[in-house]
Amino acid sequence: MRTQTVPLYWKVCLINGAVFLAGTVALLFFPVSVSRRPLVSEAVVLTLGLTVMLVLNALLLRASLAPIDRVVRQMAKVDLLEPGQRLPGGAGGPGGHLVASFNAMLDRLESERSSSDARALAAEEEERHRIARELHDEVGQQLTVVLLGLKQVQQRAPAELVDELELVRESARAGLDDVRRVARELRPGVLDDLGLHSALAALATGFSAHGGATVRRSIAPGLPALPPATELVVYRVAQEALTNAARHARATSVELTLQRLGDRVVLGVEDDGRGLPAGASGAGVRGMRERARSVGGVLELTGSPGKGTRVRLSVPVEAT
């Protein structure tokens, strides 16, 4: 059976009543009186008595109300994107129960948000997969047919039209390459077929080849196998970090590393770009944090204007 505690309202009333009762008893049993014209000694006695009553009242109320102030301050600054923000417990009474309830509420909110993020990210990946498949199967095949048709037309066309048809074929071929590249970015097949190591290598090579910054990669050998969902998160964070380095930071050189530190695998992406602006919290950064949190990972962004940016993602290694 749950223990019934005294409501905070009645506890405050009882504390104040006890203090005033103590003051009344003191006036009854101690030879203290006040003249019609109060003397200095009488004023001193009354002042001391009032001071003792106020201090005693404050000390008794502090134990009950101080936890409430801590909860109010924590509620004003709590951020669900930064999990683990809890108030120290251990105190009894209504304040202690309030702190425990507040921490339990944060546990539930973080758990529900993590589950919601995981479902949203799974749906997003499924939609990416569908769009990539349609691009590859529908648009890619249609462009291939166009290329074959242009080739046949070019063989039968008059000599003065051959060069123009060749330009059209080159444009169609470039469009087909772009469609295939977008499909690979939407759904990295190499990640499913060859694993995270090869997928990151292909990502870095493709990033450098398409006008991005020069990427130096260092992937430690013998890394433990990660769950497919975790591998996808590592890949997506690396992809977003490289994109930000080229699009926003205007970096010319990026270093990508993947290694094991203790019971975690750590991805690092460091660039020499313009640096991280103060209070940076765009959609890309929020997306990376949500992905990291969905697999129990921790994302850290460091940097300052003019000194580049470093993205560090650490994900747990499952025990085998």
Side-chain angles (χ1 to χ4, degrees):
M1 183 177 179
R2 190 174 179 180
T3 303
Q4 297 293 328
T5 60
V6 179
L8 182 60
Y9 169 77
W10 289 110
K11 191 167 185 177
V12 172
C13 291
L14 290 174
I15 291 174
N16 288 327
V19 172
F20 295 144
L21 178 61
T24 303
V25 171
L27 291 176
L28 287 175
F29 293 97
F30 287 89
V32 177
S33 61
V34 180
S35 304
R36 179 174 297 180
R37 292 184 179 181
L39 301 177
V40 175
S41 59
E42 295 173 343
V44 171
V45 170
L46 290 177
T47 303
L48 290 176
L50 178 61
T51 302
V52 170
M53 291 175 63
L54 292 176
V55 171
L56 182 60
N57 191 53
L59 292 176
L60 293 174
L61 290 177
R62 181 179 181 182
S64 298
L65 301 182
I68 299 177
D69 293 332
R70 297 208 313 269
V71 170
V72 171
R73 289 193 299 267
Q74 186 70 12
M75 290 177 64
K77 64 180 183 180
V78 70
D79 184 4
L80 292 180
L81 292 178
E82 297 292 340
Q85 304 176 62
R86 300 292 184 272
L87 289 172
H97 290 296
L98 177 63
V99 171
S101 300
F102 178 74
N103 290 336
M105 180 191 68
L106 290 181
D107 291 337
R108 292 194 302 270
L109 288 176
E110 289 180 5
S111 177
E112 293 172 2
R113 185 183 179 94
S114 179
S115 300
S116 176
D117 289 344
R119 291 192 296 269
L121 292 174
E124 178 184 338
E125 289 299 331
E126 182 63 26
E127 184 67 12
R128 284 172 175 260
H129 196 184
R130 185 188 65 81
I131 295 174
R133 184 172 59 249
E134 291 186 358
L135 285 175
H136 183 273
D137 296 343
E138 301 293 335
V139 181
Q141 290 182 5
Q142 292 176 7
L143 287 175
T144 301
V145 172
V146 170
L147 282 172
L148 294 175
L150 286 173
K151 183 177 181 180
Q152 294 178 359
V153 172
Q154 188 179 17
Q155 292 173 351
R156 299 193 302 267
E160 61 271 14
L161 296 179
V162 171
D163 292 339
E164 294 183 11
L165 288 173
E166 182 63 25
L167 292 176
V168 175
R169 285 186 62 200
E170 290 298 327
S171 297
R173 186 178 295 108
L176 179 60
D177 292 339
D178 289 339
V179 168
R180 290 173 175 171
R181 175 178 57 82
V182 171
R184 285 195 302 270
E185 291 178 353
L186 287 173
R187 184 65 184 182
V190 66
L191 180 61
D192 298 329
D193 299 335
L194 301 178
L196 183 60
H197 187 294
S198 299
L200 289 178
L203 177 65
T205 301
F207 183 79
S208 300
H210 287 89
T214 302
V215 181
R216 303 189 307 273
R217 63 178 184 271
S218 174
I219 302 177
L223 291 174
L226 298 173
T230 303
E231 287 190 344
L232 185 58
V233 167
V234 174
Y235 181 87
R236 290 300 186 198
V237 170
Q239 187 179 46
E240 181 68 24
L242 289 175
T243 302
N244 289 341
R247 182 182 302 171
H248 303 297
R250 299 178 183 176
T252 59
S253 177
V254 183
E255 183 176 2
L256 187 149
T257 61
L258 187 68
Q259 58 185 325
R260 179 173 183 172
L261 296 177
D263 61 347
R264 304 183 80 85
V265 171
V266 179
L267 168 75
V269 181
E270 186 172 1
D271 63 60
D272 63 349
R274 297 186 298 178
L276 191 67
S281 60
V285 174
R286 290 196 301 271
M288 288 192 290
R289 292 191 186 279
E290 291 172 357
R291 289 183 181 277
R293 188 174 56 251
S294 69
V295 295
V298 178
L299 183 77
E300 299 175 2
L301 277 78
T302 57
S304 56
K307 296 183 179 180
T309 303
R310 184 171 186 267
V311 178
R312 184 179 185 273
L313 169 68
S314 65
V315 294
V317 175
E318 289 189 351
T320 58

